[in-house]
Amino acid sequence: MMDLRRVAMAIYAHPDDAEIAAGGTLARLAREGWRVHLVIVTDGSKGSDRRELGGEALARVRWEEQAEAARVLGLAGWRSLGFTDGEVEDTPELRREIVRAVREVRPELVLCPDPRVWFIGSYINHRDHRMVGQACLDAIAIPAGNPHFFCEELSHLEPHEVDEVWLSPALDPDHRVDIGETIETKMEALSKHASQGMESGAGFREMVKAWARTQGREAGVAYAEAFRRLVRRRRLPL
């Protein structure tokens, strides 16, 4: 019988971010009986460089795509906080909404972006990713578990302390998760984001898979996802 007491939450900026960064891990956790929840911070309304596709129309499309991807991964639930794509800041309002989600769902484990400016080579991390990663760390470090934060707006929710935070993509990963049994689930979930070219973008999907193979070699397995692991209260058996 699956143990549904274990809870994880992924918090990312845009639809498809979680699938790219940690889709195999989320699918593995779900298969192992964890209740896995996803929080998307933005509305995804700027996730296209096509002039004819943007705004509310694109946001609706990406909402539908994310619902399908969540189904493929086996998530217990997901939500969008509805912040404007491309305009995310680490504000009290965003931290409050992250704290709200954490107190409602009460995860042991949170996965979120590394707030670094750059990664391997010359890749510049999207500002929304950086702001979401920083806001997550700022919300989880103290406010989520302290009743004196947001005591008026969230007085109906008990504080909750998260055991671990995993950052991905991470500049300096120190933990890798074997996703050999869920790599195809990850790729199927990615394919649901057709507005991002994932359905027909075999080149990008192969790049994602190649990166998983590279991380797998580091861990001695076929495919893996890499994280920076921050243990706050107790180390989870993963």
Side-chain angles (χ1 to χ4, degrees), residues 6 13 38-39 59 74-75 95 123 137 179 193 209 233 236:
R6 313 219 73 164
L38 172 63
V39 175
L75 303 188
R95 294 195 294 274
Y123 176 73
L137 295 179
I179 61 166
H193 295 281
K209 204 167 187 177
R233 297 180 68 232
L236 298 174

Side-chain angles (χ1 to χ4, degrees), residues 18-33 36 69 72-74 177-190 208-209 212 221-225 227:
E19 287 84 351
I20 293 171
T25 299
L26 299 179
R28 175 178 168 175
L29 290 171
R31 286 190 182 189
E32 293 181 353
V36 183
V72 170
L73 294 176
V177 175
D178 181 354
I179 61 166
E181 294 185 0
T182 55
I183 182 66
E184 294 307 327
T185 304
K186 173 188 177 87
M187 304 314 293
E188 183 184 353
L190 274 173
V208 171
K209 204 167 187 177
V221 299
Y223 297 97
E225 287 174 338
F227 302 88

Side-chain angles (χ1 to χ4, degrees), residues 6 34 108-110 161-166 173-177 227-238:
R6 313 219 73 164
W34 288 61
E108 299 171 70
L109 168 65
V110 167
E161 292 189 357
V162 174
D163 290 332
E164 293 195 18
V165 179
W166 294 3
D174 60 2
H175 180 62
R176 290 171 176 84
V177 175
F227 302 88
R228 183 70 179 183
R229 188 176 195 177
L230 308 178
V231 179
R232 302 189 61 253
R233 297 180 68 232
R234 61 189 178 93
R235 193 172 182 87
L236 298 174
L238 296 170

Side-chain angles (χ1 to χ4, degrees), residues 176 208-219 221-224:
R176 290 171 176 84
V208 171
K209 204 167 187 177
W211 181 244
R213 281 195 294 268
T214 299
Q215 296 305 313
R217 284 195 293 272
E218 294 290 328
V221 299
Y223 297 97

Side-chain angles (χ1 to χ4, degrees), residues 24 40 51 60 71 128 158 193 215 219 236:
I40 302 297
R51 293 182 183 273
R60 286 194 298 271
R71 179 188 59 79
D128 282 356
E158 286 297 313
H193 295 281
Q215 296 305 313
L236 298 174

